[in-house]
Structures are given as C-alpha cells and as structure tokens.
DNA sequence: CGGAATCCCCAGTGATACTG
DNA sequence: CAGTATCACTGGGGATTCCG
C-alpha cells in the first residue's frame, strides 16, 4: 500500500466499515482541529490560538490531511502579510451531525482515567472503576 | 540522562467535546473490535477469528479498555475449558446509531490513500487526489 | 482456551530553527 | 503570518512465550 516510496512495514488492520470515517479522526489532534473548524472559517494563526499547545507542524499536517480527504477547504488570501483561511467543505458539514451524535453519547460515558489503557499491575478492574 | 527530571511524558491534547467518545475508538484495532461485537455476543476465540491478524495481546487490551469504559461487558462462562463471552452493554448499543451515521458519511468520502498523512515531497495535493 | 509478561520496532508528535 | 526541515522521544502494537 502506498506511494512508490517508503512503504510502511507495519501492516495496517483490515478495514472495517468504520475505517473510512475514522481515518479523519486519526491522530491525537484531529478531533480538536475539526471541532475548531465546525463553526466559522478560521485562519491558521487563529487555529493555533484556538487549540492551545498544538504545534505548527502538527496543525499543518492535520489540515493538509483533512484537505486531501475532502473535509476541509483551504483558501489562500491575497493579503499582506499573506494568510490562509480554512473551512469545512460541504462534506465536512455533512459529517457534523454524525460527530455530534457521537459527542452526545460521549456525555453518557463513565469518567475513566485515560490510563485505562495501561492497566496497573495487580489492580482489579473493580478497583479502577471504583476510583 | 542525569537526574530524574520528570520530563514531560507527551502531554495529551486538551480535551474537546469529541474526546470522550473518541477514546473508545482509539487504537488501530478498536473499530474492528466494536464492529465485531455489534451483532451478537462473542467469545474471545471467536473474536480472534472474526478479526484476522489481531494479536491476543491487543485484543485483550482493547476488550479490557472497552469494558472499563463501559461499552463492553465480560462474562466468564463456567465451562470446560473455560471461556469468556463479550457483548456490547446498553451504552454500547446506544452508541451504534452514532457509529453507523459516521459509517454512512464515510461512504461519501473520496478514496484517498492512507499515506495522505505522509505527504511526499514536491507532490502536489492535486497530484495525490488525481492519483 | 483465555490471557499476561517480555522484548522490540516504528509512526506520530514535540521542539526548535528556518524560509517565503 | 504561514508554513517546512530536522532531530529526538514515546508508547502503541506485533511476535513470542508463559501461566491458570
């Protein structure tokens, strides 16, 4: 799979129906970027400000990926100094209801520490749930 | 390294409304696991068979995490040899419509190579879209 | 059979500096 | 302001092995 150069040695999981849409939400910062764009169009610098701690490198990468995947549009503004404006595409706006449905269910989830992925030795599930 | 400086261990991104639900879909195999459970209850070995190539280690980790997060229930069956049965909880079933909405939008997405995240030098976006 | 412990690798991210 | 180049590090995941 892949462009001529640099194939990944790590074989990806077989795709499931969810795969296509989840590709958009992959990456630690993708959700924040999409959410920040769910309102009105934003410029690069605005996004950096809206999403504290995100690095320019990652923001740039996620925006470019979302653009390639058809969720985000990029418009170079002929201003001085130059600026760029990002917005959700039609497809991007179509996806928002699905996203919001997910958010709604998320609110009903029990609060669990992120470390749930890294089970402490000897700690029982009950213990972690009770904490 | 010198002294035990508690160097920042990859600070997680600030949470956004999506974060909570996306924690469930994190990990390369989580979508497959959830999808495999969306029908009827399955045993550990059945899941390994349903999800080709998944390692026991990862399947176990994802199931445990989903259990902790309240999406999946685990029932130890008192059989011989011992077996375990996994199923979506009430909350898990509540999440399925949201998931399916996401799947529906996914079908409308343009087919883009997974390598979109690793832009090749000099290759234009248009070029990758046309490919 | 269901799962935990160990070892290793690499894709994604952060930090910083630099360019247009 | 809007990105890109380079380096270093981390932890998720694969493979294998061992346990109840």
């Amino acid at each position: 799979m892949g462009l001529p150069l640099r194939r990944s040695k790590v074989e990806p999981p077989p795709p499931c129906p969810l795969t296509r849409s989840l590709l958009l939400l992959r990456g630690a910062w993708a959700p924040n970027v999409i959410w920040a764009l769910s309102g009105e169009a934003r410029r690069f610098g605005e996004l950096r400000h809206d999403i504290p701690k995100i690095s320019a490198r990652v923001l740039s990468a996620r925006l470019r990926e979302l653009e390639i995947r058809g969720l985000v549009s990029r418009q170079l503004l002929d201003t001085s100094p130059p600026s760029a404006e990002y917005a959700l595409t039609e497809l991007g706006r179509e996806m928002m209801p699905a996203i919001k449905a997910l958010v709604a269910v998320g609110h009903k989830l029990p609060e669990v520490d992120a470390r749930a992925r890294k089970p402490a030795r000897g700690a029982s599930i009950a213990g972690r749930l009770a904490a």
Side-chain angles (χ1 to χ4, degrees), chain A:
Chain A
M1 75 181 224
L3 287 177
L5 302 177
R6 180 198 257 158
R7 1 189 103 202
S8 154
K9 271 190 187 175
V10 183
E11 191 162 334
C16 74
L18 263 169
T19 307
R20 299 193 109 224
S21 18
L22 282 186
L23 283 175
L24 295 162
L25 300 169
R26 242 173 61 181
W29 293 93
N32 305 68
V33 172
I34 291 179
W35 198 255
L37 282 174
S38 64
E40 25 181 55
R42 306 292 279 165
R43 292 190 297 112
F44 191 89
E46 290 176 322
L47 288 172
R48 283 188 79 173
H49 180 263
D50 292 346
I51 313 174
K53 305 286 181 68
I54 194 173
S55 71
R57 183 193 181 288
V58 171
L59 176 56
S60 176
R62 291 288 75 79
L63 283 171
R64 187 164 304 267
E65 182 182 5
L66 290 174
E67 184 187 3
I68 291 176
R69 297 201 188 280
L71 220 76
V72 162
S73 66
R74 174 175 181 266
Q75 168 116 28
L76 261 177
L77 303 179
D78 193 11
T79 56
S80 175
S83 55
E85 194 165 78
Y86 295 87
L88 289 185
T89 62
E90 170 67 21
L91 208 53
R93 287 188 295 274
E94 278 182 45
M95 179 168 269
M96 289 313 296
I99 300 248
K100 293 193 175 171
L102 218 53
V103 170
V105 179
H107 285 318
K108 310 177 74 172
L109 293 171
E111 270 212 40
V112 176
D113 195 292
R115 275 155 300 182
R117 338 195 93 227
K118 321 198 131 192
R121 324 272 176 173
S124 71
I125 290 181
R128 265 166 283 156
L129 284 174

